[in-house]
Amino acid sequence: MVYYLIALIVFLIDQGTKYLISSRLQLDEQIPVIGNFFLITSHRNRGAAFSILQNQRWFLILVTIVVVVGIVWYLNKVRKTRRLLPLALALVLGGAIGNFLDRLLTGEVVDFLQFNFGSYTFPIFNVADSCIVVGVALIILDSLLDMKGGSQTEVTEVKETGEAKEGNE
């Protein structure tokens, strides 16, 4: 249950920040936070990450539904036996639902976090995108840790008959 609460918090923070940006700033309006390095910029994206798949609203909605169903199923499967993986899935879930709602209601996602590295401007993103990226990074980390620990099989249970049950911890 705690992982769904984390996903809900991610979703609420994402939607709250998007509401503030869309209701208080004009499109393309910028507020410098750290000089020209970090700006709050009101931007809309009709595609996916890095503006790929522009104007593919229904495809992105369909893919998100499949992904969300898969995350919920897998989260229910691993939440009692793992720690890092369910947290990662909760972050991805909250972010995916946040961007899904934007696409469903308006056909575009509100982005507003802009970083400039000299003459290069990183694609503008939002809280949901950040949580998805952090969640995916944690999923990769969990997989690497599992591979490292999974190479050693340990005896986890000895039954009265003297048989050993092997498994991964």
Side-chain angles (χ1 to χ4, degrees):
M1 185 66 168
V2 69
Y3 299 109
Y4 292 110
L5 181 59
I6 291 168
L8 177 63
I9 290 168
V10 165
F11 171 78
L12 292 174
I13 292 171
D14 175 63
Q15 290 298 297
T17 55
K18 289 174 180 175
Y19 173 77
L20 288 173
I21 296 302
S22 62
S23 66
R24 306 251 167 110
L25 296 178
Q26 297 295 320
L27 191 59
D28 297 322
E29 184 177 350
Q30 297 181 329
I31 301 172
V33 178
I34 303 175
N36 192 42
F37 171 68
F38 173 44
L39 301 105
I40 302 295
T41 302
S42 180
H43 178 75
R44 303 300 178 274
N45 182 359
R46 292 182 170 270
F50 302 104
S51 297
I52 61 171
L53 300 171
Q54 284 292 311
N55 298 314
Q56 299 296 313
R57 177 183 185 187
W58 295 108
F59 173 74
L60 292 169
I61 286 172
L62 179 63
V63 167
T64 304
I65 290 170
V66 171
V67 167
V68 166
V69 168
I71 289 171
V72 169
W73 173 81
Y74 199 55
L75 183 56
N76 284 330
K77 182 177 177 180
V78 299
R79 66 188 169 108
K80 292 183 180 177
T81 59
R82 307 278 286 271
R83 288 192 179 168
L84 184 58
L85 184 58
L87 171 63
L89 292 171
L91 292 173
V92 174
L93 180 62
I97 293 173
N99 283 341
F100 170 79
L101 185 63
D102 287 357
R103 281 191 191 96
L104 187 65
L105 297 178
T106 66
E108 59 190 14
V109 174
V110 176
D111 289 332
F112 57 90
L113 299 170
Q114 179 180 341
F115 288 87
N116 298 306
F117 301 93
S119 62
Y120 174 73
T121 299
F122 191 81
I124 303 169
F125 59 99
N126 58 42
V127 173
D129 299 333
S130 299
C131 290
I132 291 169
V133 167
V134 169
V136 168
L138 291 175
I139 290 168
I140 293 168
L141 177 61
D142 180 79
S143 297
L144 292 172
L145 292 172
D146 190 48
M147 283 178 12
K148 181 181 176 186
S151 64
Q152 299 173 357
T153 305
E154 298 179 18
V155 176
T156 57
E157 180 181 331
V158 177
K159 296 182 180 179
E160 288 182 14
T161 62
E163 296 176 32
K165 179 181 177 185
E166 293 184 3
N168 296 334
E169 289 200 289

PDB file of all heavy atoms in Angstrom, residues 110-134:
ATOM      1  N   VAL A 110       2.469  19.366 -20.031  1.00  0.00           N
ATOM      2  CA  VAL A 110       3.069  20.616 -19.570  1.00  0.00           C
ATOM      3  C   VAL A 110       4.483  20.320 -19.083  1.00  0.00           C
ATOM      4  O   VAL A 110       4.677  19.539 -18.151  1.00  0.00           O
ATOM      5  CB  VAL A 110       2.234  21.255 -18.432  1.00  0.00           C
ATOM      6  CG1 VAL A 110       2.919  22.500 -17.891  1.00  0.00           C
ATOM      7  CG2 VAL A 110       0.823  21.566 -18.902  1.00  0.00           C
ATOM      8  N   ASP A 111       5.467  20.936 -19.719  1.00  0.00           N
ATOM      9  CA  ASP A 111       6.864  20.829 -19.316  1.00  0.00           C
ATOM     10  C   ASP A 111       7.331  22.206 -18.871  1.00  0.00           C
ATOM     11  O   ASP A 111       6.848  23.223 -19.378  1.00  0.00           O
ATOM     12  CB  ASP A 111       7.732  20.339 -20.479  1.00  0.00           C
ATOM     13  CG  ASP A 111       7.502  18.876 -20.828  1.00  0.00           C
ATOM     14  OD1 ASP A 111       7.122  18.099 -19.920  1.00  0.00           O
ATOM     15  OD2 ASP A 111       7.701  18.506 -21.988  1.00  0.00           O
ATOM     16  N   PHE A 112       8.301  22.248 -17.949  1.00  0.00           N
ATOM     17  CA  PHE A 112       8.713  23.563 -17.444  1.00  0.00           C
ATOM     18  C   PHE A 112      10.114  23.638 -16.861  1.00  0.00           C
ATOM     19  O   PHE A 112      10.593  24.713 -16.535  1.00  0.00           O
ATOM     20  CB  PHE A 112       7.713  24.060 -16.386  1.00  0.00           C
ATOM     21  CG  PHE A 112       7.536  23.120 -15.230  1.00  0.00           C
ATOM     22  CD1 PHE A 112       8.327  23.218 -14.090  1.00  0.00           C
ATOM     23  CD2 PHE A 112       6.572  22.128 -15.290  1.00  0.00           C
ATOM     24  CE1 PHE A 112       8.160  22.350 -13.033  1.00  0.00           C
ATOM     25  CE2 PHE A 112       6.402  21.251 -14.226  1.00  0.00           C
ATOM     26  CZ  PHE A 112       7.191  21.355 -13.101  1.00  0.00           C
ATOM     27  N   LEU A 113      10.815  22.530 -16.720  1.00  0.00           N
ATOM     28  CA  LEU A 113      12.165  22.558 -16.165  1.00  0.00           C
ATOM     29  C   LEU A 113      13.173  22.597 -17.311  1.00  0.00           C
ATOM     30  O   LEU A 113      13.282  21.641 -18.080  1.00  0.00           O
ATOM     31  CB  LEU A 113      12.401  21.330 -15.277  1.00  0.00           C
ATOM     32  CG  LEU A 113      11.465  21.207 -14.072  1.00  0.00           C
ATOM     33  CD1 LEU A 113      11.609  19.848 -13.412  1.00  0.00           C
ATOM     34  CD2 LEU A 113      11.730  22.325 -13.079  1.00  0.00           C
ATOM     35  N   GLN A 114      13.876  23.716 -17.433  1.00  0.00           N
ATOM     36  CA  GLN A 114      14.817  23.891 -18.538  1.00  0.00           C
ATOM     37  C   GLN A 114      16.225  24.099 -17.996  1.00  0.00           C
ATOM     38  O   GLN A 114      16.446  24.929 -17.121  1.00  0.00           O
ATOM     39  CB  GLN A 114      14.428  25.098 -19.395  1.00  0.00           C
ATOM     40  CG  GLN A 114      15.384  25.351 -20.534  1.00  0.00           C
ATOM     41  CD  GLN A 114      14.993  26.550 -21.370  1.00  0.00           C
ATOM     42  OE1 GLN A 114      13.860  27.008 -21.345  1.00  0.00           O
ATOM     43  NE2 GLN A 114      15.937  27.061 -22.133  1.00  0.00           N
ATOM     44  N   PHE A 115      17.165  23.335 -18.555  1.00  0.00           N
ATOM     45  CA  PHE A 115      18.573  23.465 -18.193  1.00  0.00           C
ATOM     46  C   PHE A 115      19.383  23.755 -19.449  1.00  0.00           C
ATOM     47  O   PHE A 115      19.207  23.095 -20.479  1.00  0.00           O
ATOM     48  CB  PHE A 115      19.094  22.188 -17.519  1.00  0.00           C
ATOM     49  CG  PHE A 115      18.566  22.000 -16.132  1.00  0.00           C
ATOM     50  CD1 PHE A 115      17.357  21.354 -15.912  1.00  0.00           C
ATOM     51  CD2 PHE A 115      19.269  22.484 -15.041  1.00  0.00           C
ATOM     52  CE1 PHE A 115      16.864  21.182 -14.622  1.00  0.00           C
ATOM     53  CE2 PHE A 115      18.791  22.321 -13.744  1.00  0.00           C
ATOM     54  CZ  PHE A 115      17.582  21.671 -13.538  1.00  0.00           C
ATOM     55  N   ASN A 116      20.261  24.738 -19.344  1.00  0.00           N
ATOM     56  CA  ASN A 116      21.151  25.101 -20.444  1.00  0.00           C
ATOM     57  C   ASN A 116      22.587  24.807 -20.029  1.00  0.00           C
ATOM     58  O   ASN A 116      23.008  25.175 -18.935  1.00  0.00           O
ATOM     59  CB  ASN A 116      21.011  26.587 -20.781  1.00  0.00           C
ATOM     60  CG  ASN A 116      19.616  26.926 -21.249  1.00  0.00           C
ATOM     61  OD1 ASN A 116      19.103  26.322 -22.176  1.00  0.00           O
ATOM     62  ND2 ASN A 116      18.991  27.887 -20.598  1.00  0.00           N
ATOM     63  N   PHE A 117      23.300  24.156 -20.918  1.00  0.00           N
ATOM     64  CA  PHE A 117      24.711  23.855 -20.702  1.00  0.00           C
ATOM     65  C   PHE A 117      25.483  24.567 -21.804  1.00  0.00           C
ATOM     66  O   PHE A 117      25.679  24.003 -22.885  1.00  0.00           O
ATOM     67  CB  PHE A 117      24.943  22.351 -20.728  1.00  0.00           C
ATOM     68  CG  PHE A 117      24.151  21.616 -19.683  1.00  0.00           C
ATOM     69  CD1 PHE A 117      22.899  21.084 -19.982  1.00  0.00           C
ATOM     70  CD2 PHE A 117      24.645  21.471 -18.398  1.00  0.00           C
ATOM     71  CE1 PHE A 117      22.165  20.420 -19.015  1.00  0.00           C
ATOM     72  CE2 PHE A 117      23.914  20.799 -17.425  1.00  0.00           C
ATOM     73  CZ  PHE A 117      22.670  20.284 -17.727  1.00  0.00           C
ATOM     74  N   GLY A 118      25.868  25.800 -21.536  1.00  0.00           N
ATOM     75  CA  GLY A 118      26.496  26.621 -22.572  1.00  0.00           C
ATOM     76  C   GLY A 118      25.484  26.906 -23.659  1.00  0.00           C
ATOM     77  O   GLY A 118      24.393  27.416 -23.400  1.00  0.00           O
ATOM     78  N   SER A 119      25.818  26.514 -24.883  1.00  0.00           N
ATOM     79  CA  SER A 119      24.899  26.756 -26.000  1.00  0.00           C
ATOM     80  C   SER A 119      23.889  25.615 -26.182  1.00  0.00           C
ATOM     81  O   SER A 119      22.995  25.699 -27.017  1.00  0.00           O
ATOM     82  CB  SER A 119      25.691  26.958 -27.295  1.00  0.00           C
ATOM     83  OG  SER A 119      26.426  25.784 -27.596  1.00  0.00           O
ATOM     84  N   TYR A 120      24.039  24.538 -25.407  1.00  0.00           N
ATOM     85  CA  TYR A 120      23.123  23.394 -25.519  1.00  0.00           C
ATOM     86  C   TYR A 120      21.986  23.521 -24.508  1.00  0.00           C
ATOM     87  O   TYR A 120      22.221  23.705 -23.316  1.00  0.00           O
ATOM     88  CB  TYR A 120      23.868  22.082 -25.264  1.00  0.00           C
ATOM     89  CG  TYR A 120      22.952  20.884 -25.235  1.00  0.00           C
ATOM     90  CD1 TYR A 120      22.380  20.387 -26.400  1.00  0.00           C
ATOM     91  CD2 TYR A 120      22.630  20.259 -24.037  1.00  0.00           C
ATOM     92  CE1 TYR A 120      21.526  19.298 -26.377  1.00  0.00           C
ATOM     93  CE2 TYR A 120      21.780  19.173 -24.001  1.00  0.00           C
ATOM     94  CZ  TYR A 120      21.233  18.696 -25.172  1.00  0.00           C
ATOM     95  OH  TYR A 120      20.383  17.626 -25.151  1.00  0.00           O
ATOM     96  N   THR A 121      20.759  23.421 -24.991  1.00  0.00           N
ATOM     97  CA  THR A 121      19.585  23.425 -24.127  1.00  0.00           C
ATOM     98  C   THR A 121      19.047  22.005 -24.047  1.00  0.00           C
ATOM     99  O   THR A 121      18.636  21.420 -25.055  1.00  0.00           O
ATOM    100  CB  THR A 121      18.489  24.366 -24.671  1.00  0.00           C
ATOM    101  OG1 THR A 121      19.014  25.687 -24.709  1.00  0.00           O
ATOM    102  CG2 THR A 121      17.245  24.328 -23.788  1.00  0.00           C
ATOM    103  N   PHE A 122      19.066  21.438 -22.833  1.00  0.00           N
ATOM    104  CA  PHE A 122      18.508  20.110 -22.613  1.00  0.00           C
ATOM    105  C   PHE A 122      17.005  20.189 -22.833  1.00  0.00           C
ATOM    106  O   PHE A 122      16.373  21.192 -22.479  1.00  0.00           O
ATOM    107  CB  PHE A 122      18.818  19.657 -21.175  1.00  0.00           C
ATOM    108  CG  PHE A 122      18.531  18.214 -20.922  1.00  0.00           C
ATOM    109  CD1 PHE A 122      19.448  17.238 -21.306  1.00  0.00           C
ATOM    110  CD2 PHE A 122      17.356  17.812 -20.304  1.00  0.00           C
ATOM    111  CE1 PHE A 122      19.184  15.898 -21.078  1.00  0.00           C
ATOM    112  CE2 PHE A 122      17.085  16.480 -20.075  1.00  0.00           C
ATOM    113  CZ  PHE A 122      18.004  15.518 -20.460  1.00  0.00           C
ATOM    114  N   PRO A 123      16.379  19.154 -23.414  1.00  0.00           N
ATOM    115  CA  PRO A 123      14.926  19.204 -23.623  1.00  0.00           C
ATOM    116  C   PRO A 123      14.172  19.496 -22.313  1.00  0.00           C
ATOM    117  O   PRO A 123      14.479  18.933 -21.264  1.00  0.00           O
ATOM    118  CB  PRO A 123      14.596  17.810 -24.149  1.00  0.00           C
ATOM    119  CG  PRO A 123      15.865  17.368 -24.813  1.00  0.00           C
ATOM    120  CD  PRO A 123      16.970  17.935 -23.961  1.00  0.00           C
ATOM    121  N   ILE A 124      13.205  20.380 -22.397  1.00  0.00           N
ATOM    122  CA  ILE A 124      12.431  20.814 -21.230  1.00  0.00           C
ATOM    123  C   ILE A 124      11.600  19.634 -20.735  1.00  0.00           C
ATOM    124  O   ILE A 124      11.021  18.894 -21.529  1.00  0.00           O
ATOM    125  CB  ILE A 124      11.553  22.032 -21.592  1.00  0.00           C
ATOM    126  CG1 ILE A 124      12.436  23.164 -22.128  1.00  0.00           C
ATOM    127  CG2 ILE A 124      10.753  22.502 -20.388  1.00  0.00           C
ATOM    128  CD1 ILE A 124      11.659  24.310 -22.751  1.00  0.00           C
ATOM    129  N   PHE A 125      11.516  19.479 -19.417  1.00  0.00           N
ATOM    130  CA  PHE A 125      10.825  18.328 -18.833  1.00  0.00           C
ATOM    131  C   PHE A 125      10.027  18.755 -17.611  1.00  0.00           C
ATOM    132  O   PHE A 125       9.935  19.939 -17.292  1.00  0.00           O
ATOM    133  CB  PHE A 125      11.826  17.204 -18.507  1.00  0.00           C
ATOM    134  CG  PHE A 125      12.913  17.604 -17.540  1.00  0.00           C
ATOM    135  CD1 PHE A 125      12.831  17.290 -16.198  1.00  0.00           C
ATOM    136  CD2 PHE A 125      14.031  18.294 -17.985  1.00  0.00           C
ATOM    137  CE1 PHE A 125      13.834  17.650 -15.305  1.00  0.00           C
ATOM    138  CE2 PHE A 125      15.046  18.652 -17.119  1.00  0.00           C
ATOM    139  CZ  PHE A 125      14.950  18.336 -15.777  1.00  0.00           C
ATOM    140  N   ASN A 126       9.415  17.792 -16.915  1.00  0.00           N
ATOM    141  CA  ASN A 126       8.572  18.082 -15.752  1.00  0.00           C
ATOM    142  C   ASN A 126       8.860  17.097 -14.619  1.00  0.00           C
ATOM    143  O   ASN A 126       9.737  16.244 -14.737  1.00  0.00           O
ATOM    144  CB  ASN A 126       7.088  18.063 -16.161  1.00  0.00           C
ATOM    145  CG  ASN A 126       6.676  16.740 -16.753  1.00  0.00           C
ATOM    146  OD1 ASN A 126       7.043  15.668 -16.278  1.00  0.00           O
ATOM    147  ND2 ASN A 126       5.886  16.783 -17.823  1.00  0.00           N
ATOM    148  N   VAL A 127       8.106  17.189 -13.541  1.00  0.00           N
ATOM    149  CA  VAL A 127       8.295  16.320 -12.375  1.00  0.00           C
ATOM    150  C   VAL A 127       8.040  14.856 -12.736  1.00  0.00           C
ATOM    151  O   VAL A 127       8.794  13.962 -12.320  1.00  0.00           O
ATOM    152  CB  VAL A 127       7.387  16.769 -11.205  1.00  0.00           C
ATOM    153  CG1 VAL A 127       7.438  15.777 -10.052  1.00  0.00           C
ATOM    154  CG2 VAL A 127       7.792  18.164 -10.725  1.00  0.00           C
ATOM    155  N   ALA A 128       7.001  14.591 -13.511  1.00  0.00           N
ATOM    156  CA  ALA A 128       6.695  13.208 -13.909  1.00  0.00           C
ATOM    157  C   ALA A 128       7.867  12.595 -14.670  1.00  0.00           C
ATOM    158  O   ALA A 128       8.262  11.455 -14.399  1.00  0.00           O
ATOM    159  CB  ALA A 128       5.432  13.166 -14.770  1.00  0.00           C
ATOM    160  N   ASP A 129       8.414  13.358 -15.606  1.00  0.00           N
ATOM    161  CA  ASP A 129       9.556  12.864 -16.375  1.00  0.00           C
ATOM    162  C   ASP A 129      10.729  12.541 -15.450  1.00  0.00           C
ATOM    163  O   ASP A 129      11.400  11.517 -15.617  1.00  0.00           O
ATOM    164  CB  ASP A 129      10.009  13.904 -17.405  1.00  0.00           C
ATOM    165  CG  ASP A 129       8.941  14.245 -18.425  1.00  0.00           C
ATOM    166  OD1 ASP A 129       8.070  13.393 -18.689  1.00  0.00           O
ATOM    167  OD2 ASP A 129       8.977  15.368 -18.964  1.00  0.00           O
ATOM    168  N   SER A 130      10.977  13.417 -14.492  1.00  0.00           N
ATOM    169  CA  SER A 130      12.079  13.210 -13.541  1.00  0.00           C
ATOM    170  C   SER A 130      11.878  11.928 -12.753  1.00  0.00           C
ATOM    171  O   SER A 130      12.819  11.148 -12.573  1.00  0.00           O
ATOM    172  CB  SER A 130      12.179  14.388 -12.580  1.00  0.00           C
ATOM    173  OG  SER A 130      12.432  15.577 -13.260  1.00  0.00           O
ATOM    174  N   CYS A 131      10.664  11.711 -12.273  1.00  0.00           N
ATOM    175  CA  CYS A 131      10.383  10.506 -11.484  1.00  0.00           C
ATOM    176  C   CYS A 131      10.494   9.245 -12.329  1.00  0.00           C
ATOM    177  O   CYS A 131      10.965   8.211 -11.842  1.00  0.00           O
ATOM    178  CB  CYS A 131       9.010  10.616 -10.832  1.00  0.00           C
ATOM    179  SG  CYS A 131       8.978  11.865  -9.518  1.00  0.00           S
ATOM    180  N   ILE A 132      10.085   9.325 -13.581  1.00  0.00           N
ATOM    181  CA  ILE A 132      10.212   8.174 -14.477  1.00  0.00           C
ATOM    182  C   ILE A 132      11.690   7.842 -14.691  1.00  0.00           C
ATOM    183  O   ILE A 132      12.088   6.677 -14.604  1.00  0.00           O
ATOM    184  CB  ILE A 132       9.491   8.437 -15.820  1.00  0.00           C
ATOM    185  CG1 ILE A 132       7.973   8.475 -15.600  1.00  0.00           C
ATOM    186  CG2 ILE A 132       9.866   7.380 -16.864  1.00  0.00           C
ATOM    187  CD1 ILE A 132       7.175   8.990 -16.792  1.00  0.00           C
ATOM    188  N   VAL A 133      12.507   8.852 -14.933  1.00  0.00           N
ATOM    189  CA  VAL A 133      13.939   8.619 -15.161  1.00  0.00           C
ATOM    190  C   VAL A 133      14.600   8.048 -13.906  1.00  0.00           C
ATOM    191  O   VAL A 133      15.358   7.072 -13.981  1.00  0.00           O
ATOM    192  CB  VAL A 133      14.639   9.923 -15.613  1.00  0.00           C
ATOM    193  CG1 VAL A 133      16.151   9.791 -15.554  1.00  0.00           C
ATOM    194  CG2 VAL A 133      14.188  10.305 -17.018  1.00  0.00           C
ATOM    195  N   VAL A 134      14.301   8.629 -12.742  1.00  0.00           N
ATOM    196  CA  VAL A 134      14.870   8.112 -11.490  1.00  0.00           C
ATOM    197  C   VAL A 134      14.373   6.688 -11.246  1.00  0.00           C
ATOM    198  O   VAL A 134      15.148   5.804 -10.855  1.00  0.00           O
ATOM    199  CB  VAL A 134      14.529   9.037 -10.302  1.00  0.00           C
ATOM    200  CG1 VAL A 134      14.884   8.393  -8.971  1.00  0.00           C
ATOM    201  CG2 VAL A 134      15.235  10.374 -10.445  1.00  0.00           C
TER     202      VAL A 134
END
